[in-house]
Amino acid sequence: MTEQKYKFLSTPRRPVEDRRFVAGRGKFIADFDRPNMLHVAPLASHYAAAAINGIDASAALAMPGVVDVITGAELAAAVQPLMNGLNTPNVRRFPLAVDRVRYAGEWVCAVVAESRALAEDALEKIIVDATPQPFILDAETALLDTSAPVHPEHGSNLLLDRKFVWGPVDDDFDAAAYSLSFSVTWGRNSTVPIETFGVLAEWNGWDQMLDIWASIQMPKYADQIARSLDLPGNAIRVHYDVDVGGSYGVKRGIKHSVLVGYIARKLGCPVRLIEDRLENMRAGDAHGPERKFDITIAFDQDGTVRSMKMRALDNAGAYAGRAPFQLGKPISAIVGPYQINSVAYHALSVTTNKTVQEAVRGFGQAPTNYAIETAMDRVAEYLGMDRLALRQKNLIRKDQFPYLIPSGSYYDSGDYHAVIDKVLTAADYPAMLAERDRLRDAGMMAGIGIAACLEPSGGNSSFEPLLNQSNQTSTWMESCQVNIDALGMVTARIHTTSSGQGHETLVSTILGEVMQIDPELIRITRPNSLESLPGNSPVGSRMAIMLGGAAARAGEKLKAKIMAIAVHRLGVAIDQLRYEGGDVLANDGRRFTWDEMVELAHRQYHNLPDGMDPGLASFDIMQVPTGDALPVDHKVQMYPCYSFEFHLLLVSFDPIIGRPDIHSYVIGHDCGTVINPAIVSGMTYGGIAHGIGAALFEEFAYDTNGQLLTQSFLDYLMPSSHEVPAIQIVKHCTPSPHTVFGQKGSGESGYLGAPAAVSGAINDAVSGLGIHFEKLPIRMSTISDAIAAKTS
Amino acid sequence: MKPVRFDYKRPTTIEEACGLLASDDNARILAGGQSLIPMLSMRLSRPSLLIDIAHIPELTAFVETETHIEIGTMVRQAVAQKSKLVKTHIPLLAKALGHVGHPPTRARGTVGGSVAHADPSAEIALVAATLGAEITYRVDGADEIFDASNFFIGPMLTIAPPTGCLTQLSFAKAPAVCGTGFHEVAPRKSDYALASAAAQINFAAGSGVTSIHLGIGSVGDFPERLDVDQLCGTPLDDAAIADAIHAAMQVVETVEDLHATAAYRKRVATELAIRALRDARDEISKDLNQ
Ligand SMILES: Cc1cc2nc3c(=O)[nH]c(=O)nc-3n(C[C@H](O)[C@H](O)[C@H](O)COP(=O)(O)OP(=O)(O)OC[C@H]3O[C@@H](n4cnc5c(N)ncnc54)[C@H](O)[C@@H]3O)c2cc1C
């Protein structure tokens, strides 16, 4: 279709990062070592809630190799509380518990020692005098007036309680022939990277500089450290040349970083804290959304879905952080890919005595997609209508773009029907149906899962001002610098760490395309934060759009300079010139070569156009496309680009064993123009695997004492290659009108629809028995028990 | 997740190992380390001395006698899995070994370590209990032999002498005509099972079925044998098998955890026991029809 359009873009090229990773030459936080480095081990609370009466660390301090023991009281006196996303100043959070602990595993104090093992030995000697207190685990319970607040100073457990009505909801409900209600719950899970979070801090008093190396993926990380430590912003130097071993949102160890930053300054030694698996799981403060949806949906006999009321209640855990915003992103795609005329949305976030939440792949979109897709299945079931036909009827049509949804965002582009048709063909849908029926005849439970959903991408965090009026954010810029050196080689700088997204490939490919130079010859570097231009790190599926956009624009600026030099040198008008592979060709056949141009720019000022600066460097700080306004009437354009995905799969299981076996999995994916096909496919495969985990296996489950039951991979089950089937990706390309090459985001692809699709397949399999599974993950025991209850 | 400080010794004879065991009340044997090392890291196990028995040649021996196959405790699970002796003479163990963990854990984990560790869902322990294998411990210079069918008494709990060193497992050779079946169910391939079942039917020309061994694992505190002796001498039809197993399962107590309810474990163990026994029966029918 667009085969010859690009030279490097959209072509199968090996990601440049692969070389060092495959050869084991990545440099991760644990590879960073400094002379005289000290190690930190935090003491975890046994209680889900308790008052701390006193901490006796004298025996620990007396042990050889132990340097210090830091308590919450000491820290609270010395640092500012960690940032909250919402306006909740009395939900104060410090790296260590102050006066009381609010979840099991919370850090009570921290030992600093010459080795991590010695620090752990010392932890056993610390005596904490604590009085257990009542605790709350359930979000609905937390809402009750009778429940004691997790933060008494805050007055209640409510962090967020916002009601939105977009469009004529009451009228649409009145006009609709039917309505139905149901509830579904998204279990508490997360992305759990193989590499846990780690940070190393080193204070240099003579330079007044705090150097930080961290396994981090976090917007405005350096700023937040500076604020908490009361240091000037330019006294924090975050090194971006640390490879991050997986993240998808969760690598935001701000509490760890403030803690080691404080210790490094206090002791004047390099200090490192790397979470072990237990700390990562229970106190890394990196759990994802745990969300209950109550949905009422209004529709007609012919399947037209008119309106939806959604109440979403999120269990944020013990502190606020940024987590409640995960109820905000889904507002930008609150109707999914469907023409739903109006929506009422009630977003609630509450504190409980569970581990703190952090951003997770999709920032709340995957749970919402699961709720919307369950609604579509329920409506079809109610009407006795085919689930696929119901979706096709309600999907936004190709000719309706740009399409304004009730909550204020325009969807940029898409052709949902075409993607679905391609998938049905690729999957041989009639054969899939026949196979399902054959399996059923053979005594198996078999079902087909269908999910259609969107990936909002590249946004400017407009959920911040929408949910918090004191926040006036209307940019979420990203930047790139490019330099051509005196030998004619191109180097680009990017200002963030990467956790597997392939930003070096992204930037070199795009710059190569713009400048028409082999991307292999372009060097990408990651300076530290003080040598960087502003950026917001790789979140919200934004880097192809924003970093790619900034790289392209910086490249175009250089090209413009080259053309201006050529005009001057060749003495002809610009319309007589053509840029080709680095050289400039004149219509009269003369060629101004790259090497000559470099020579002029770097050495022959006298041959440059009047007033032109020497050298060949450019930079670009890019504003989010479409993201220039604050919310009006509780509506806002949140994301410029909307990728589409359609999942189709066949599942079967034995009615007694209940272990789902995924036979075939086909996904149709349209993320506009693809920059690097291998990276997009990799994202999608991994996203589906992650989604299968959310649907069937992964949960941070608590017992009735508030203890986390799944503290290691023994119990927190992630799908392995045995549980993830072969996946067929069917590609489609509807370019975005808002980006340099028509690219959209793909960093959350697969994950956004897979949980809905897998749940749909299992529910289809048991539909004949009148069973609905209404909570993820759907464990095999739950399946078997439900069937046994119906059939015995 | 750093172990408590410990000493480490690497004896080369059983006697030396036993001497070290006797020298320190808080000593522990280290075999393949696939269970012990994680427990050390979590500080659930806090030995002062680790005795690594990987360098004692006698403990990796395979011995075939007229009636038995003796497997040294340090034989790696992966080695046992590939062994011709096991395949030929202990077909039930051969079937079970593929379910024990993953290729990397089987490369280090040992046959004896699994039995000594006594995880309620250990496949090797289930097979040993089902077949009544002999478990030999060296204690105070003498061998003590235990019958695997009543060796396991709780989760990670056996009647083994605390200062003994397991040296070998001995399995009776399966008769020329015999059938086996092994089934287990786990959330993911090779997870610790939520329920498992092992069956072996021994057959002799002329006298027919001579014995039926059936056991279930993972559902209670330890692997258990199910008594279905009444099936000997019957045609072993599906209905009779199901009836016998349902009856035997009535007294079995099952446990509940995050991953499965007690009812699930009971229902599924029953089903797996039925399937395992049927598989065993069908193998014999196939053999006899050839
Ligand atoms: C990821 C993973 C998955 C696993 N899955 C399974 C599974 O599905 N099924 C299963 O059964 N197991 C599983 N295991 C456990 C594995 O099979 C272990 O190898 C086994 O349980 C213990 O054997 P080991 O040789 O590693 O013993 P070690 O870990 O070295 O020792 C275990 C215990 O036995 C004691 N011990 C060992 N040898 C002797 C001896 N000769 N005399 C006295 N005491 C002794 C030790 O002191 C220790 O207390 C898994 C392990 C891992 C890491």
Side-chain angles (χ1 to χ4, degrees):
Chain A
M1 186 179 54
T2 54
E3 267 169 64
Q4 291 309 312
K5 196 167 165 196
Y6 299 117
K7 195 153 181 220
F8 305 113
L9 229 63
S10 308
T11 60
R13 301 171 54 78
R14 186 174 69 171
V16 289
E17 294 87 345
D18 285 7
R19 279 173 230 162
R20 68 173 186 273
F21 291 143
V22 170
R25 294 287 171 170
K27 203 158 181 334
F28 298 91
I29 185 62
D31 299 322
F32 287 81
D33 212 342
R34 307 289 294 173
N36 304 316
M37 187 167 74
L38 297 174
H39 300 262
V40 180
L43 180 67
S45 166
H46 297 301
Y47 300 113
I52 302 171
N53 308 316
I55 296 172
D56 178 0
S58 50
L61 283 165
M63 292 171 71
V66 174
V67 179
D68 203 350
V69 174
I70 313 290
T71 65
E74 174 182 341
L75 210 59
V79 309
Q80 300 299 323
L82 305 180
M83 205 182 82
N84 283 339
L86 295 170
N87 215 349
T88 50
N90 292 320
V91 180
R92 282 156 52 95
R93 177 182 173 216
F94 290 94
L96 303 172
V98 181
D99 298 336
R100 53 156 76 198
V101 289
R102 295 180 167 87
Y103 66 92
E106 184 174 2
W107 296 352
V108 177
C109 57
V111 174
V112 189
E114 284 163 14
S115 78
R116 169 76 192 205
L118 288 172
E120 288 190 28
D121 288 344
L123 288 181
E124 299 187 340
K125 303 280 189 243
I126 295 175
I127 301 161
V128 179
D129 174 9
T131 313
Q133 291 179 330
F135 55 87
I136 309 163
L137 302 172
D138 174 61
E140 293 284 7
T141 310
L143 273 178
L144 300 175
D145 289 341
T146 46
S147 296
V150 173
H151 295 265
E153 314 77 17
H154 181 63
S156 81
N157 286 313
L158 266 178
L159 293 170
L160 176 72
D161 182 4
R162 281 292 295 278
K163 286 184 175 149
F164 296 94
V165 178
W166 297 296
V169 173
D170 289 341
D171 294 350
D172 287 340
F173 265 81
D174 287 346
Y178 307 105
S179 76
L180 70 81
S181 301
F182 67 94
S183 301
V184 283
T185 300
W186 175 275
R188 178 175 273 252
N189 65 54
S190 194
T191 46
V192 185
I194 291 299
E195 182 208 44
T196 57
F197 179 77
V199 55
L200 162 56
E202 181 169 351
W203 173 250
N204 183 327
W206 305 110
D207 291 341
Q208 290 287 299
M209 181 75 79
L210 187 66
D211 280 295
I212 305 268
W213 294 262
S215 170
I216 192 78
Q217 180 207 354
M218 185 174 195
K220 305 185 163 96
Y221 175 58
D223 300 357
Q224 289 199 40
I225 297 172
R227 284 207 182 128
S228 271
L229 293 179
D230 278 326
L231 284 170
N234 61 6
I236 309 290
R237 183 160 59 195
V238 177
H239 296 263
Y240 290 141
D241 56 347
V242 180
D243 287 317
V244 179
S247 173
Y248 280 105
V250 295
K251 284 275 177 68
R252 302 199 183 186
I254 186 64
K255 79 170 181 187
H256 320 53
S257 306
V258 170
L259 175 64
V260 296
Y262 168 77
I263 299 170
R265 260 186 99 191
K266 177 182 177 189
L267 301 179
C269 280
V271 180
R272 193 174 79 182
L273 167 54
I274 296 181
E275 291 172 338
D276 63 22
R277 186 57 61 189
L278 293 174
E279 281 152 9
N280 175 262
M281 302 290 258
R282 69 186 175 202
D285 290 358
H287 290 187
E290 174 184 350
R291 192 172 298 178
K292 177 169 174 268
F293 294 93
D294 298 298
I295 302 226
T296 305
I297 189 143
F299 52 98
D300 291 337
Q301 180 64 41
D302 68 354
T304 303
V305 176
R306 287 177 179 254
S307 186
M308 176 176 69
K309 294 177 187 167
M310 176 187 279
R311 174 183 182 266
L313 169 62
D314 216 304
N315 185 330
Y319 297 89
R322 202 173 155 75
F325 284 143
Q326 293 187 87
L327 287 159
K329 173 167 183 174
I331 291 172
S332 77
I334 196 72
V335 293
Y338 306 111
Q339 310 176 46
I340 301 175
N341 190 51
S342 59
V343 176
Y345 182 55
H346 187 186
L348 291 150
S349 179
V350 293
T351 47
T352 62
N353 296 98
K354 287 189 180 179
T355 299
V356 183
Q357 269 188 23
E358 195 40 273
V360 165
R361 200 182 207 153
F363 209 60
Q365 193 66 53
T368 304
N369 290 346
Y370 159 63
I372 296 171
E373 287 303 281
T374 305
M376 292 318 243
D377 283 350
R378 289 295 179 88
V379 170
E381 180 189 76
Y382 184 93
L383 293 171
M385 196 171 162
D386 179 66
R387 286 178 299 158
L388 186 60
L390 179 95
R391 286 176 169 84
Q392 285 166 322
K393 179 170 186 58
N394 286 287
L395 284 174
I396 297 161
R397 290 187 318 272
K398 179 184 175 184
D399 56 276
Q400 292 176 295
F401 293 98
Y403 182 87
L404 177 63
I405 67 165
S407 53
S409 283
Y410 278 97
Y411 292 169
D412 55 335
S413 64
D415 188 350
Y416 306 158
H417 290 93
V419 175
I420 292 179
D421 287 344
K422 275 191 181 176
V423 169
L424 297 178
T425 305
D428 194 350
Y429 187 53
M432 205 173 188
L433 286 169
E435 176 64 3
R436 175 186 70 177
D437 295 341
R438 191 194 64 76
L439 287 162
R440 286 179 177 176
D441 289 344
M444 297 293 278
M445 313 299 286
I448 285 178
I450 297 171
C453 68
L454 297 176
E455 177 175 350
S457 44
N460 61 353
S461 255
S462 305
F463 43 77
E464 292 184 2
L466 186 67
L467 297 182
N468 178 2
Q469 265 94 19
S470 67
N471 185 321
Q472 296 279 296
T473 300
S474 64
T475 182
W476 203 244
M477 69 200 106
E478 196 58 47
S479 48
C480 184
Q481 294 170 273
V482 185
N483 184 51
I484 301 172
D485 63 35
L487 298 179
M489 300 310 286
V490 179
T491 300
R493 298 196 214 171
I494 60 178
H495 312 118
T496 179
T497 51
S498 292
S499 41
Q501 299 93 337
H503 297 136
E504 294 162 36
T505 302
L506 167 73
V507 170
S508 60
T509 306
I510 283 185
L511 266 181
E513 190 70 44
V514 170
M515 316 262 329
Q516 299 176 29
I517 306 171
D518 183 353
E520 295 280 320
L521 301 177
I522 298 176
R523 172 84 54 192
I524 308 297
T525 66
R526 301 164 185 275
N528 60 59
S529 56
L530 293 180
E531 293 165 10
S532 290
L533 296 173
N536 283 285
S537 86
V539 296
S541 233
R542 61 192 291 277
M543 287 312 234
I545 297 166
M546 295 301 300
L547 177 56
R553 286 157 49 111
E556 292 292 354
K557 287 176 188 175
L558 269 180
K559 250 168 75 180
K561 179 163 186 176
I562 292 168
M563 293 304 281
I565 298 173
V567 164
H568 183 69
R569 182 67 174 172
L570 300 177
V572 293
I574 194 156
D575 59 4
Q576 302 294 302
L577 297 174
R578 182 155 47 89
Y579 181 91
E580 195 183 275
D583 295 351
V584 182
L585 296 187
N587 283 354
D588 59 16
R590 282 182 299 157
R591 176 183 290 265
F592 178 50
T593 68
W594 177 266
D595 289 346
E596 290 172 70
M597 182 273 299
V598 169
E599 173 70 17
L600 254 59
H602 276 280
R603 295 197 179 79
Q604 302 181 16
Y605 184 76
H606 58 281
N607 278 326
L608 292 179
D610 273 354
M612 179 182 277
D613 291 335
L616 286 163
S618 71
F619 70 89
D620 189 75
I621 305 177
M622 185 172 146
Q623 163 64 345
V624 177
T626 75
D628 25 51
L630 288 173
V632 177
D633 290 341
H634 311 292
K635 293 184 194 176
V636 67
Q637 177 76 36
M638 241 181 234
Y639 290 81
C641 303
Y642 288 82
S643 301
F644 177 70
E645 59 191 53
F646 180 71
H647 300 244
L648 184 65
L649 75 153
L650 173 64
V651 161
S652 78
F653 48 88
D654 178 290
I656 296 174
I657 311 293
R659 186 178 194 273
D661 179 19
I662 303 176
H663 294 247
S664 53
Y665 202 119
V666 186
I667 178 172
H669 187 216
D670 182 356
C671 61
T673 304
V674 166
I675 312 286
N676 181 290
I679 290 179
V680 171
S681 301
M683 292 284 189
T684 309
Y685 292 135
I688 290 173
H690 188 191
I692 290 171
L696 301 178
F697 301 110
E698 297 183 38
E699 186 178 21
F700 288 115
Y702 287 79
D703 70 11
T704 51
N705 293 319
Q707 300 294 323
L708 181 60
L709 290 169
T710 49
Q711 302 201 14
S712 77
F713 292 139
L714 192 61
D715 288 303
Y716 187 91
L717 306 181
M718 298 201 285
S720 76
S721 54
H722 295 291
E723 286 71 46
V724 180
I727 294 163
Q728 187 185 353
I729 303 178
V730 178
K731 292 176 183 158
H732 190 80
C733 176
T734 316
S736 173
H738 301 310
T739 58
V740 285
F741 297 107
Q743 74 270 36
K744 304 181 177 186
S746 71
E748 297 153 358
S749 61
Y751 183 62
L752 296 182
V758 173
S759 162
I762 292 170
N763 277 293
D764 181 42
V766 295
S767 58
L769 297 171
I771 296 169
H772 291 128
F773 293 111
E774 295 178 326
K775 181 182 179 302
L776 301 186
I778 307 172
R779 293 197 174 83
M780 51 199 291
S781 157
T782 312
I783 294 174
S784 167
D785 289 354
I787 294 172
K790 286 283 179 184
T791 50
S792 66
Chain B
M1 293 177 88
K2 303 282 182 207
V4 173
R5 203 185 166 87
F6 57 81
D7 268 349
Y8 172 86
K9 291 271 161 51
R10 191 192 274 172
T12 52
T13 65
I14 299 177
E15 285 60 44
E16 205 189 327
C18 288
L20 288 165
L21 260 180
S23 74
D24 184 340
D25 283 352
N26 195 18
R28 246 189 195 290
I29 287 176
L30 173 67
Q34 296 303 292
S35 297
L36 185 55
I37 299 287
M39 292 199 317
L40 295 178
S41 295
M42 303 255 212
R43 299 194 168 208
L44 295 171
S45 178
R46 310 165 65 96
S48 46
L49 171 63
L50 274 192
I51 306 161
D52 184 346
I53 57 169
H55 298 261
I56 303 176
E58 303 153 78
L59 296 182
T60 53
F62 261 109
V63 178
E64 179 178 5
T65 71
E66 187 137 345
T67 53
H68 283 74
I69 301 293
E70 296 168 1
I71 306 178
T73 187
M74 267 309 294
V75 169
R76 309 283 178 180
Q77 293 153 5
V79 171
Q81 196 186 0
K82 288 202 200 92
S83 150
K84 278 229 168 62
L85 286 178
V86 171
K87 221 167 255 155
T88 313
H89 299 295
I90 330 172
L92 184 59
L93 183 61
K95 275 190 183 158
L97 279 165
H99 294 276
V100 182
H102 311 262
T105 67
R106 290 197 293 269
R108 290 208 65 85
T110 63
V111 173
S114 179
V115 168
H117 186 59
D119 187 289
S121 59
E123 292 84 356
I124 299 169
L126 170 60
V127 170
T130 302
L131 297 178
E134 288 172 4
I135 302 171
T136 305
Y137 270 77
R138 183 74 55 86
V139 201
D140 299 332
D143 280 345
E144 245 183 78
I145 297 176
F146 301 90
D147 174 355
S149 7
N150 45 39
F151 179 72
F152 304 100
I153 53 172
M156 325 289 175
L157 223 55
T158 70
I159 54 171
T163 56
C165 175
L166 200 168
T167 55
Q168 69 168 34
L169 302 181
S170 176
F171 290 87
K173 286 183 179 172
V177 180
C178 94
T180 58
F182 189 93
H183 283 278
E184 74 169 42
V185 164
R188 303 172 303 176
K189 185 171 169 12
S190 295
D191 271 334
Y192 288 98
L194 303 178
S196 48
Q200 178 167 322
I201 303 176
N202 291 345
F203 191 91
S207 38
V209 171
T210 54
S211 59
I212 300 178
H213 304 265
L214 180 63
I216 50 162
S218 324
V219 294
D221 290 342
F222 49 86
E224 272 185 84
R225 287 187 67 154
L226 296 184
D227 181 0
V228 288
D229 283 350
Q230 77 264 32
L231 288 173
C232 286
T234 75
L236 289 174
D237 59 71
D238 282 358
I241 286 177
D243 285 348
I245 289 174
H246 277 286
M249 282 298 294
Q250 275 188 351
V251 294
V252 172
E253 281 186 25
T254 56
V255 296
E256 180 147 333
D257 63 18
L258 174 68
H259 303 292
T261 57
Y264 177 86
R265 284 198 163 85
K266 190 144 199 168
R267 181 183 322 117
V268 171
T270 306
E271 179 67 19
L272 296 185
I274 291 171
R275 291 183 191 179
L277 201 51
R278 280 199 218 144
D279 283 1
R281 174 201 63 195
D282 294 346
E283 267 189 17
I284 292 183
S285 311
K286 225 173 98 192
D287 255 21
L288 295 178
N289 290 334
Q290 269 172 1

